[in-house]
Amino acid sequence: MDYHYFDTREIAKLAQEHYHIQCRVEPLNGYDEANYLLTAADGKNYILKVANDTHGIHFLEAQVQALEHLSDSTIADHFQRCIPNVVGQKVTHII
């Protein structure tokens, strides 16, 4: 899957479907993944990352584990936190 084909409307639809977040979407710069700033109706901000299978699922899961480790540290406020999707997973597979 090539993540470059997602437009902001599709990202908003995915955010609603998989995270129950109604939002405005703004593309951000990314290196290996496409990143989007989601601004929810309640004013909260989220980052949604879309990746293809270049590095495989284990790479994404390692990123989640690193962020979870940092979220338990004294510098946790300097890092984003991963939120689970509607089925409780930290990585959402879209086929």
Side-chain angles (χ1 to χ4, degrees):
M1 169 181 293
D2 187 347
Y3 56 81
H4 294 288
Y5 293 119
F6 287 106
D7 66 22
T8 55
R9 289 182 309 254
E10 292 170 312
I11 294 299
K13 182 180 174 187
L14 290 171
Q16 173 61 37
E17 180 181 341
H18 294 284
Y19 295 92
H20 292 166
I21 299 173
Q22 290 184 331
C23 60
R24 184 171 38 92
V25 178
E26 180 182 338
L28 300 171
N29 291 330
Y31 181 71
D32 281 339
E33 297 99 4
N35 299 299
Y36 299 89
L37 173 63
L38 309 181
T39 302
D42 63 4
K44 290 183 181 176
N45 288 321
Y46 301 90
I47 301 293
L48 185 126
K49 176 185 289 202
V50 178
N52 59 23
D53 60 359
T54 300
H55 295 296
I57 189 67
H58 300 296
F59 182 75
L60 294 173
E61 290 171 344
Q63 289 181 17
V64 169
Q65 289 175 353
L67 287 171
E68 287 179 341
H69 175 75
L70 291 169
S71 72
D72 290 333
S73 72
T74 59
I75 57 172
D77 292 342
H78 300 284
F79 295 94
Q80 60 215 57
R81 289 181 169 76
C82 297
I83 59 170
N85 59 24
V86 296
V87 295
Q89 299 170 328
K90 298 284 177 92
V91 177
T92 302
H93 300 267
I94 300 174
I95 300 172

